[in-house]
Amino acid sequence: MKKKKKKKSVFVTVGTTSFDALVEAMDSEELIQTLIERGYDSLTIQRGRGTYLPKHIVTSTSSERSSAIKVQVVEFLPSLDAILKEASLVISHAGAGSVFESLSLGKPTLVVVNESLMDNHQVELAETLASLGHVAWTKPDGLLQALNAFDPNSLI
Amino acid sequence: MTQNFGVFLIIIVVLFLRTVRVALSSPSSQKLKRESDGAKLLVVIGSGGHTAEMVHILRSFLSDEKKTKKRDYFSNVFPKREYIFAVSDTTSVAKIERFEREEVQGGTNGEYRNHFVPRAREVGQSYFTSVFTTLLAFWHSWRVYWKTKPDAILTNGPGTCVPVILACFLGKVFGYNSACKVMYVESVARTRRMSLSGRLCYGLRLADVVFVMWPELKEKYPRSRYCGRIY
């Protein structure tokens, strides 16, 4: 009997406000290929109140790719609980709420810092949690690199 | 003319001394007022992550009581809870209502009410325009504070809480509701430096107690109290 392949999903969240830089960074063919290579077969992006709408990854003409990974984009979810439980990888803005919710479910978490916020305070939490070995963190423009270097097993 | 000026000067000096006295009064000098029908807690709800964090803080009250098996249930200490939300923050209202409905309510767990005030500052708004929106928020916050007359205020930021805390502080200067305790919990997101509202509460002594969740912060702000992480 052929064992059904276990689903591996990625969940991206920007939190309550907006973080277009992260959504834009996700919207890259190269990044999607990386996710596919790493065995992920579905991607959900919670994009919040931002104005940027993913173009490339949603309207792909390649049927091969769209069968390899299912992409969906939502504005908000009433609760992250259900989707977080499903996820094998969480790419989160560095808001404490989202990050700790993800960590408390034991999910491998890649934190992306929103540098446009007041005092740039998100770096603080990201760095502290990374120094404790709980997360990996990056800035939006380093997302692809960080994803390539991301090793869920190295996190505590 | 000089007489008027003299009176004016005296009022200023008295108010200044009152302000200093309120700011420097030690938190332990007055115990939380407990009437037979219990105290009233005013919770200032931020938004987004702050709301989620506040639910954890409120929940930690509940679980502590269950662990120690004290009879002092959260609901008995604060049988009346008044929540202040920013206008239009429906997500937070839903979170708090779910918490009240599923975890607190049931049996003799008291009651709660919701209030709404305009935001003092939107995420990303400039410091300059924040001054005016804060004034408007202050007026509305004062009205809620006056109407509810709480025994304690609990908040974890962000800007929304400043007008409410100021209302309480000014009230104390003028002798209104002087026994009200202000508890400020610095967000878990702040690991090295306090937020603006945290620094206001700590630096100007607007809060009776400032809780921090990282040891590093406690070292930097010695008058704060380290309470461990809620997550």
Side-chain angles (χ1 to χ4, degrees):
Chain A
M1 201 173 82
K2 205 178 159 189
K3 209 173 162 191
K4 204 180 163 194
K5 207 177 116 201
K6 201 170 172 261
K7 279 195 172 176
K8 279 182 80 182
S9 62
V10 182
F11 177 53
V12 182
T13 176
V14 308
T16 334
T17 55
S18 64
F19 188 6
D20 277 346
L22 170 58
V23 182
E24 214 172 324
M26 286 305 300
D27 192 16
S28 124
E29 201 59 47
E30 210 182 342
L31 195 134
I32 285 286
Q33 288 304 335
T34 308
L35 291 179
I36 295 170
E37 277 161 31
R38 294 187 142 229
Y40 298 106
D41 57 13
S42 93
L43 165 68
T44 306
I45 301 177
Q46 182 260 313
R47 67 173 190 88
R49 261 193 264 158
T51 49
Y52 186 86
L53 278 166
K55 297 183 259 291
H56 314 294
I57 54 170
V58 180
T59 54
S60 167
T61 43
S62 149
S63 58
E64 190 192 330
R65 205 217 67 196
S66 52
S67 67
I69 189 161
K70 200 179 101 215
V71 180
Q72 59 168 330
V73 181
V74 294
E75 209 168 315
F76 286 109
L77 294 160
S79 162
L80 301 185
D81 213 44
I83 196 147
L84 277 178
K85 272 182 191 146
E86 287 292 308
S88 320
L89 167 66
V90 178
I91 299 176
S92 172
H93 77 125
S98 313
V99 173
F100 282 107
E101 211 173 324
S102 170
L103 284 179
S104 53
L105 289 166
K107 298 299 173 182
T109 309
L110 176 58
V111 170
V112 186
V113 168
N114 188 352
E115 292 177 285
S116 65
L117 287 178
M118 209 170 171
D119 314 341
N120 194 7
H121 73 255
Q122 286 198 332
V123 177
E124 227 178 274
L125 180 68
E127 274 181 359
T128 305
L129 289 176
S131 72
L132 293 171
H134 297 322
V135 303
W137 78 275
T138 180
K139 292 168 186 174
D141 54 12
L143 183 59
L144 183 63
Q145 240 182 330
L147 207 55
N148 276 316
F150 188 74
D151 177 14
N153 299 323
S154 72
L155 301 176
I156 324 166
Chain B
M1 188 65 196
T2 42
Q3 210 179 4
N4 280 351
F5 183 72
V7 172
F8 182 68
L9 199 70
I10 289 171
I11 293 175
I12 293 291
V13 169
V14 167
L15 283 182
F16 177 74
L17 290 178
R18 285 283 306 168
T19 309
V20 171
R21 203 179 139 209
V22 169
L24 296 185
S25 71
S26 104
S28 54
S29 67
Q30 293 165 320
K31 283 267 188 294
L32 176 69
K33 192 184 96 195
R34 291 267 307 265
E35 286 173 2
S36 54
D37 58 343
K40 186 189 269 183
L41 179 68
L42 179 67
V43 189
V44 190
I45 301 296
S47 59
H50 289 269
T51 309
E53 217 175 287
M54 182 53 83
V55 170
H56 276 268
I57 295 168
L58 293 171
R59 187 180 288 138
S60 72
F61 286 4
L62 289 175
S63 53
D64 266 5
E65 289 150 7
K66 274 171 192 160
K67 260 183 261 162
T68 54
K69 290 199 172 144
K70 268 201 246 156
R71 275 262 165 109
D72 252 0
Y73 288 100
F74 167 46
S75 40
N76 287 345
V77 182
F78 293 116
K80 292 181 199 125
R81 292 166 300 280
E82 310 274 359
Y83 293 100
I84 298 191
F85 299 91
V87 170
S88 81
D89 189 5
T90 46
T91 323
S92 295
V93 176
K95 271 185 199 152
I96 291 295
E97 302 232 292
R98 193 167 60 219
F99 169 72
E100 278 282 347
R101 196 174 56 238
E102 291 173 8
E103 299 182 47
V104 186
Q105 292 293 312
T108 54
N109 284 321
E111 54 193 35
Y112 72 96
R113 283 191 298 182
N114 296 340
H115 308 271
F116 297 89
V117 298
R119 282 176 206 268
R121 186 178 174 277
E122 295 279 354
V123 170
Q125 192 184 328
S126 77
Y127 280 106
F128 180 70
T129 53
S130 299
V131 174
F132 302 101
T133 43
T134 302
L135 281 177
L136 186 68
F138 176 74
W139 169 242
H140 285 268
S141 305
W142 169 258
R143 281 178 43 186
V144 175
Y145 180 69
W146 181 270
K147 206 167 68 185
T148 54
K149 205 181 177 196
D151 300 302
I153 296 176
L154 175 64
T155 177
N156 63 341
T160 345
C161 73
V162 175
V164 184
I165 289 172
L166 266 182
C168 175
F169 189 84
L170 288 178
K172 285 178 184 174
V173 170
F174 288 97
Y176 175 74
N177 201 15
S178 295
C180 184
K181 297 275 148 221
V182 178
M183 302 174 274
Y184 183 89
V185 186
E186 185 56 280
S187 164
V188 68
R190 298 298 182 147
T191 66
R192 290 195 291 254
R193 185 165 177 256
M194 278 196 199
S195 62
L196 180 61
S197 28
R199 293 200 301 273
L200 283 172
C201 284
Y202 182 85
L204 300 178
R205 301 178 186 238
L206 300 182
D208 293 283
V209 53
V210 175
F211 292 106
V212 294
M213 299 197 206
W214 296 93
E216 214 177 325
L217 271 190
K218 164 74 193 167
E219 272 167 40
K220 194 163 172 191
Y221 306 90
R223 281 186 288 112
S224 66
R225 250 195 255 177
Y226 173 62
C227 62
R229 283 206 323 259
I230 46 160
Y231 287 101

